Amino acid sequence: MATRRTKVEVPIPPSSNGASTKPKQHTPTIVDSPPPRNSPFLPTALEALLLALYPGTLLLGSLVSFLNPASRNATYLPHTQAYRISEAPSYFAKKSNLFNVYFVKIGWLWTTAAFFLFAFSHSSLGPPLKPVLTKRRLQATLRYVLVTAVWIAVTQWCFGPPIIDRSFRWTGGKCDTIFDDSTTARAERADMGELEKAFTHAACKSIGGQWRGGHDISGHVFLLILGSAMLWLELLPAVLRMDGLREARRIVTSDGLVRSAAIETSERPGNMDVPGHLGVGVRVSLGVAGMSWWMLLMTAAYFHTWFEKFTGLLVAFSAIYVVYFLPRAVPALRQVVGMPGV
């Protein structure tokens, strides 16, 4: 990286009799000025290490599946993105396991509860356990709303079918009849006209059909990464006094200069109050984020193909980047959504 050079005026020392001597011509001295340590468009080294946990978990899960003899000997059914139930290599390889049913299936409810418990109980965002909408709380809530909007668009509704279902259809998928695994005979299903009209996975399943033939973005991977990454990025800068999570972040200010994020903390009325104890909101959020990591590992080991899991990761990371990293380089956007820990 090229070193930026700035002009610095060198003061002229006074003469021995107390009078200053002024030369006829003064040439400014050129001194080196160190460039910013990282780009405002990129995470800090510590943030990058935190985010690397997710692709690392997907790789670890794939390695577990590969090394487990029970997984290698079990029959994987592509149309269900899971192993045959009778041959499931682990309790967590069954979609009916309690953690999948009561945590992952309603994962955004857990994420939402953890986020608001943190937002209204931690003093860094406002008076604890009081419904006072400080600027920091409002901006944190807006970030949550933006991330939630992405979750809805990808998995629930996007002016019709959600993005996951649309992408499945765009890649050649369709709702098809189900064949019995033991006899490969056609089961009694709805007529083909109804199957052709099923544009969502839920609608296809409700009439007895099955998604087949397209690329199915892993909704579990997307949900678990999106929710836990949001919690991590909200919690850590507000809770930990670590340079890699706070002052080391670089922003573009309204005058176009690249500076430390600490400059905006100092300009706000009232400094960030970082208490010495974690508090119930932080503890619950850490629990939800930790459970999300475990279920991500189980998903990586027992469900979906590698490419389906990778696209789930990619979509989640895209949303996290737009909400938590892009504002650092766009002052107008940052004025609206803010930054955690600032």
Side-chain angles (χ1 to χ4, degrees):
M1 180 184 293
T3 302
R4 185 172 58 191
R5 304 176 73 86
T6 56
K7 294 182 179 180
V8 178
E9 297 289 340
V10 179
I12 306 300
S15 61
S16 58
N17 58 7
S20 61
T21 56
K22 183 178 181 180
K24 293 182 179 180
Q25 291 184 341
H26 171 59
T27 303
T29 302
I30 306 297
V31 296
D32 291 336
S33 176
R37 284 174 289 178
N38 57 279
S39 168
F41 287 96
L42 300 175
T44 65
L46 195 55
E47 289 172 331
L49 184 62
L50 172 67
L51 294 175
L53 174 70
Y54 294 110
T57 299
L58 295 183
L59 288 172
L60 177 61
S62 297
L63 183 62
V64 168
S65 178
F66 176 76
L67 295 178
N68 185 2
S71 297
R72 295 200 304 269
N73 296 328
T75 303
Y76 184 82
L77 305 175
H79 63 278
T80 63
Q81 297 94 32
Y83 291 100
R84 181 176 292 167
I85 296 178
S86 60
E87 303 175 11
S90 165
Y91 173 72
F92 288 98
K94 300 177 181 179
K95 290 186 177 181
S96 59
N97 77 77
L98 294 179
F99 297 95
N100 186 58
V101 173
Y102 294 107
F103 182 79
V104 181
K105 292 291 186 181
I106 56 173
W108 206 252
L109 177 62
W110 289 101
T111 300
T112 298
F115 171 82
F116 281 106
L117 187 58
F118 162 71
F120 284 90
S121 67
H122 201 265
S123 58
S124 65
L125 298 176
L129 302 179
K130 294 182 179 180
V132 179
L133 293 178
T134 63
K135 185 175 182 180
R136 289 190 177 105
R137 275 183 181 158
L138 284 172
Q139 289 180 325
T141 301
L142 180 56
R143 292 191 294 270
Y144 162 82
V145 169
L146 292 175
V147 175
T148 300
V150 174
W151 169 74
I152 292 173
V154 173
T155 65
Q156 306 299 311
W157 178 85
C158 184
F159 303 97
I163 292 174
I164 283 182
D165 290 344
R166 288 179 183 272
S167 66
F168 188 85
R169 303 275 304 189
W170 291 338
T171 53
K174 63 179 181 178
C175 185
D176 202 355
T177 54
I178 296 179
F179 291 86
D180 184 86
D181 290 332
S182 60
T183 65
T184 67
R186 184 185 299 272
E188 292 184 3
R189 304 274 42 120
D191 61 52
M192 292 302 296
E194 291 183 349
L195 293 172
E196 290 295 330
K197 293 177 183 178
F199 289 103
T200 68
H201 181 268
C204 179
K205 187 177 180 179
S206 68
I207 60 174
Q210 178 65 61
W211 265 160
R212 294 181 187 271
H215 175 71
D216 189 15
I217 297 172
S218 176
H220 277 38
V221 169
F222 166 77
L223 165 70
L224 294 168
I225 292 178
L226 185 73
S228 62
M230 178 186 73
L231 291 177
W232 285 124
L233 292 171
E234 289 288 343
L235 287 173
L236 297 183
V239 173
L240 301 180
R241 296 180 181 275
M242 299 181 66
D243 180 71
L245 295 169
R246 294 167 62 89
E247 288 72 15
R249 296 175 296 179
R250 292 293 178 263
I251 61 173
V252 175
T253 54
S254 57
D255 54 10
L257 297 178
V258 177
R259 293 175 170 149
S260 168
I263 190 173
E264 292 199 348
T265 304
S266 62
E267 290 175 353
R268 277 201 179 191
N271 292 326
M272 289 289 293
D273 180 13
V274 181
H277 62 282
L278 293 180
V280 62
V282 174
R283 294 178 187 276
V284 170
S285 298
L286 290 176
V288 171
M291 179 59 71
S292 296
W293 174 82
W294 173 255
M295 292 310 296
L296 179 65
L297 179 62
M298 295 300 98
T299 300
Y302 301 121
F303 300 99
H304 285 278
T305 65
W306 169 250
F307 189 51
E308 289 168 347
K309 289 177 282 194
F310 173 74
T311 52
L313 168 79
L314 191 62
V315 175
F317 268 18
S318 297
I320 290 296
Y321 180 81
V322 170
V323 176
Y324 287 96
F325 295 99
L326 185 61
R328 301 179 186 182
V330 183
L333 180 58
R334 190 171 65 255
Q335 288 300 313
V336 177
V337 302
M339 288 175 58
V342 171

